[in-house]
Amino acid sequence: MILLRLWRGELPLAEAFWTWAVLVALVVNLFTTIGFYWLVMAERTTAAIIVGYVISVAYNILAGVGAWRSAGRPNADPRWSGPARLAVVIGMTILSLT
């Protein structure tokens, strides 16, 4: 399963970072934010918290850890490992807090 490979850091750094930690994370966070507001307006507070925070934060952790671990692989390009790790920390923190 691809998400398990991501979690383990088995994906190439470019795929783990650009596909999963950037592109998919933006989509997940967009939809969970929309779902959160929709559920709040429908007065479904518990469901809103689950959708808006639990799902998005869980995904952000998965993607962040996966990209971090991919950056630490022996075959990862050292020119990109450090910047990728810094971007993961900053990006996942911002996505998780908003």
Side-chain angles (χ1 to χ4, degrees):
M1 173 177 218
I2 190 78
L3 294 180
L4 184 58
R5 291 185 60 223
L6 171 63
W7 175 256
R8 291 178 180 165
E10 296 172 354
L11 299 178
L13 176 57
E15 180 182 351
F17 182 79
W18 289 109
T19 301
W20 296 99
V22 175
L23 181 63
V24 176
L26 287 171
V27 171
V28 167
N29 285 279
L30 174 67
F31 281 103
T32 56
T33 300
I34 291 167
F36 173 79
Y37 286 120
W38 183 78
L39 289 164
V40 166
M41 289 187 296
E43 297 180 8
R44 308 265 323 217
T45 308
T46 303
I49 290 169
I50 291 169
V51 169
Y53 292 100
V54 175
I55 293 172
S56 64
V57 171
Y59 180 79
N60 292 336
I61 290 169
L62 168 72
V65 168
W68 183 275
R69 289 177 175 170
S70 291
R73 292 176 56 184
N75 61 345
D77 186 341
R79 294 174 298 163
W80 296 108
S81 296
R85 283 184 163 177
L86 178 62
V88 163
V89 169
I90 294 169
M92 294 302 124
T93 300
I94 291 169
L95 289 174
S96 295
L97 295 176
T98 57

